[in-house]
Amino acid sequence: MLKKIAILLFVLLIVQMVLYARLYANELVQKAESITRTIAGIQDEPGKDQDVNAYLKSIGIETKVNEAMLDEKYHGTKLITDPLNGNTTIRFYNPNSNNYRLEIYDVTKGLVASFVNISSDNILIDKSVFDSGSYIYKLTGENNIFCGTFVMR
């Protein structure tokens, strides 16, 4: 029972972090749009939304996010699912081959697998070992913790 409560709290923490990140991102976008309107001299018309991105594009300013640059600066994990056999690979940033510990939690059952001394930056999760369902993974290293979710079908 205590494990289920701990897992529930862990899932709630992840959900809360995602919600706060979305709220913070929306706030930053609104601030950026406000600054852009001020610089460009765009006046808001009552009852009419201004398309700041279209205006910036018309004057030659691109507003797309460079995801490759973000990946270089803020390293995270990537999940790659093989459609042929259903296996999932977790890729994460580990340039010095540090040792990590991987814990996999079934959302309904709790901790189902734990692996230690992982020094590779690719971890293959074999579908034949896990039941179908939703899972949470946690990679813990010396200075980093990576968390995420995946689904086995």
Side-chain angles (χ1 to χ4, degrees):
M1 181 66 177
L2 190 56
K3 284 184 182 180
K4 288 183 181 180
I5 292 172
I7 291 171
L8 177 64
L9 290 174
F10 182 70
V11 170
L12 289 174
L13 176 66
I14 290 174
V15 169
Q16 183 180 16
M17 288 174 23
V18 169
L19 291 175
Y20 280 133
R22 284 185 177 174
L23 288 172
Y24 184 67
N26 286 337
E27 181 181 320
L28 290 178
V29 168
Q30 289 174 354
K31 284 182 182 178
E33 287 178 352
S34 173
I35 292 168
T36 304
R37 283 189 185 109
T38 303
I39 292 171
I42 298 172
Q43 298 295 323
D44 289 336
E45 295 177 19
K48 191 172 185 183
D49 291 335
Q50 294 291 326
D51 189 355
V52 175
N53 288 335
Y55 172 76
L56 291 174
K57 191 171 185 178
S58 72
I59 60 173
I61 298 174
E62 194 63 40
T63 59
K64 291 184 180 174
V65 174
N66 185 344
E67 291 185 20
M69 188 187 321
L70 284 177
D71 285 343
E72 286 178 22
K73 188 169 182 177
Y74 302 104
H75 304 288
T77 59
K78 292 183 182 177
L79 290 176
I80 301 159
T81 302
D82 186 347
L84 297 178
N85 58 22
N87 293 340
T88 299
T89 302
I90 301 173
R91 287 193 181 160
F92 65 102
Y93 186 71
N94 192 11
N96 300 327
S97 298
N98 295 331
N99 285 330
Y100 279 81
R101 175 187 178 106
L102 172 65
E103 294 175 341
I104 299 177
Y105 298 88
D106 185 319
V107 175
T108 59
K109 299 175 188 170
L111 182 66
V112 292
S114 181
F115 306 96
V116 294
N117 296 328
I118 298 170
S119 59
S120 171
D121 57 359
N122 288 316
I123 303 168
L124 177 68
I125 300 173
D126 190 353
K127 180 182 180 354
S128 64
V129 177
F130 295 95
D131 295 333
S132 295
S134 298
Y135 294 89
I136 298 171
Y137 68 90
K138 181 172 96 171
L139 273 165
T140 308
E142 252 180 61
N143 300 320
N144 294 323
I145 295 177
F146 300 107
C147 296
T149 60
F150 64 95
V151 176
M152 282 291 188
R153 298 178 196 249

